[in-house]
Amino acid sequence: MQTQISDSIDAADGKERLDAQIKKILSNKKILSWIVKYTVTEFADMDLERIEACIEGEPEVAKIPVYPGKTNMESITGLSIPLDEVRKVEEGMLQKA
């Protein structure tokens, strides 16, 4: 017999599965590069392959719980270089080629 509670549990289970699938899609570097290109002004002129190469490692999905101000405090890795410095390096590489 279906009750309001069991209906809510079934609906939540469906939402969790949908959430998991959406997270898988959004963790794809090709898809992330499109999102970054068209939402982050600084990357608008960069080609998608270059943006994808800037995404270090593999995106972590649903591995770290989210607590405002308490998580991911130490998780940023890579070089701490401002974007204008990255562009200078790229320009230098292009001029050498």
Side-chain angles (χ1 to χ4, degrees):
M1 177 172 155
Q2 287 292 98
T3 65
Q4 185 176 8
I5 293 172
S6 65
D7 287 342
S8 295
I9 291 170
D10 290 343
D13 184 46
K15 288 179 184 177
E16 287 174 10
R17 283 184 291 192
L18 177 62
D19 184 60
Q21 293 305 314
I22 296 296
K23 287 177 183 176
K24 277 185 181 178
I25 291 168
L26 293 176
S27 69
N28 181 291
K29 287 185 181 184
K30 290 192 183 304
I31 293 173
L32 280 175
S33 64
W34 278 84
I35 293 169
V36 169
K37 180 174 180 73
Y38 295 104
T39 59
V40 181
T41 307
E42 293 84 358
F43 289 90
D45 296 328
M46 200 176 282
D47 64 45
L48 292 168
E49 292 79 19
R50 177 68 183 124
I51 296 170
E52 187 177 340
C54 290
I55 302 170
E56 297 177 346
E58 291 301 315
E60 291 187 13
V61 178
K63 293 180 182 176
I64 301 171
V66 179
Y67 300 105
K70 303 268 186 206
T71 58
N72 295 337
M73 296 173 75
E74 302 289 330
S75 67
I76 296 175
T77 60
L79 302 174
S80 178
I81 301 174
L83 187 57
D84 60 328
E85 292 296 320
V86 172
R87 287 194 174 131
K88 286 179 190 175
V89 170
E90 287 178 338
E91 287 171 9
M93 292 171 69
L94 291 175
Q95 290 173 359
K96 290 180 183 178

